[in-house]
Amino acid sequence: MRIGVLGLQGDFREHLEMLRALGVDARDVRTKEQLHEVEGLIIPGGESTTMAYLLEKMGLLSILRERGAQGFPIYGTCAGMILLARELNDSYPENRLALMDISVKRNAYGRQRDSFEADLHIKDIGEFHAVFIRAPKIVGVGPSVEILAEHDGAPVLVRQKHLLASSFHPELTGDPRVHKYFLEMVTRG
Ligand code: GLN
């Protein structure tokens, strides 16, 4: 299976490593051509405004938005989730993919808790130790969105058909089960 990780900014290397450890042909995606070669895409954590700017600059934003609307599997972690959200509490990033029916608040976990760890229970996966880094909070979900895990009453892992998003960073804890879950989505639809 050939999976891409958006390599414009953020912690894409960690995602690539995790996918490779799972035996996947993982590719760094920075151009339209590279995007066409993969069966699914992970958008990493990082700085969503910078990533959105670079996506547009590389001519990837509209193509990815189009493909995502047509069933191309995408998994957004943290900043990646911000780019997938239809609704945002912030005016930036203005230009997003806006593919998922979720409402997201950037940097919403408060100053002292800029970064924290938590044990989650994920549907179909089980107990999962999660790392949150200046995480966005999901404050609303539409009817077509399935909540797979919650923390403190807020959804932190959600799925909408072929789209997956998490407020946390599963690429940082060495536990590959969320990545495996995404690979299943790519294979089985
Ligand atoms: N705070 C970042 C943003 O708003 C996201 C943080 C992350 O991806 N770890 O873009």
Side-chain angles (χ1 to χ4, degrees), residues 11 44-49 51 77-80 82 90 92-93 106-107 132-136 167 169:
D11 76 330
E47 172 51 52
S48 55
T49 7
M51 229 183 279
T77 58
C78 210
I82 293 170
D90 211 331
Y92 296 101
R106 285 180 70 196
N107 304 317
F132 295 76
I133 301 171
R134 292 184 62 228
S167 323
H169 289 267

Side-chain angles (χ1 to χ4, degrees), residues 70-106:
Q70 290 163 357
F72 177 69
I74 304 174
Y75 171 26
T77 58
C78 210
M81 178 174 93
I82 293 170
L83 295 181
L84 284 172
R86 258 202 197 123
E87 221 178 87
L88 204 61
N89 77 311
D90 211 331
S91 35
Y92 296 101
E94 212 174 321
N95 258 336
R96 303 184 303 279
L97 296 167
L99 288 166
M100 280 183 97
D101 208 2
I102 55 176
S103 177
V104 166
K105 200 170 172 193
R106 285 180 70 196

Side-chain angles (χ1 to χ4, degrees), residues 124-142:
D124 299 331
I125 291 181
E127 303 311 306
F128 194 91
H129 189 69
V131 176
F132 295 76
I133 301 171
R134 292 184 62 228
K137 194 174 204 165
I138 300 175
V139 292
V141 298

Side-chain angles (χ1 to χ4, degrees), residues 2-142:
R2 197 178 287 172
I3 301 292
V5 181
L6 189 70
L8 298 172
Q9 195 264 341
D11 76 330
F12 55 92
R13 289 178 196 87
E14 285 78 358
H15 281 288
L16 287 168
E17 267 168 36
M18 181 146 271
L19 291 170
R20 285 176 188 146
L22 289 169
V24 171
D25 179 1
R27 307 273 178 101
D28 195 350
V29 169
R30 292 164 195 237
T31 64
K32 292 181 209 168
E33 293 69 32
Q34 290 167 333
L35 181 62
H36 284 293
E37 287 168 3
V38 296
E39 295 161 67
L41 184 77
I42 294 180
I43 306 179
E47 172 51 52
S48 55
T49 7
T50 311
M51 229 183 279
Y53 167 78
L54 292 171
L55 267 175
E56 190 150 38
K57 196 173 162 205
M58 299 303 290
L60 284 169
L61 192 70
S62 53
I63 291 178
L64 197 51
R65 192 184 283 141
E66 228 168 77
R67 290 196 70 191
Q70 290 163 357
F72 177 69
I74 304 174
Y75 171 26
T77 58
C78 210
M81 178 174 93
I82 293 170
L83 295 181
L84 284 172
R86 258 202 197 123
E87 221 178 87
L88 204 61
N89 77 311
D90 211 331
S91 35
Y92 296 101
E94 212 174 321
N95 258 336
R96 303 184 303 279
L97 296 167
L99 288 166
M100 280 183 97
D101 208 2
I102 55 176
S103 177
V104 166
K105 200 170 172 193
R106 285 180 70 196
N107 304 317
Y109 283 94
R111 263 204 158 166
Q112 289 89 327
R113 303 184 66 198
D114 276 351
S115 304
F116 63 97
E117 301 189 13
D119 288 313
L120 309 176
H121 181 82
I122 303 180
K123 185 175 178 259
D124 299 331
I125 291 181
E127 303 311 306
F128 194 91
H129 189 69
V131 176
F132 295 76
I133 301 171
R134 292 184 62 228
K137 194 174 204 165
I138 300 175
V139 292
V141 298

Side-chain angles (χ1 to χ4, degrees), residues 123-163:
K123 185 175 178 259
D124 299 331
I125 291 181
E127 303 311 306
F128 194 91
H129 189 69
V131 176
F132 295 76
I133 301 171
R134 292 184 62 228
K137 194 174 204 165
I138 300 175
V139 292
V141 298
S144 52
V145 175
E146 187 185 4
I147 298 171
L148 299 174
E150 286 185 327
H151 173 66
D152 255 357
V156 290
L157 178 65
V158 291
R159 175 178 179 175
Q160 185 176 348
K161 294 182 209 139
H162 57 288
L163 304 169

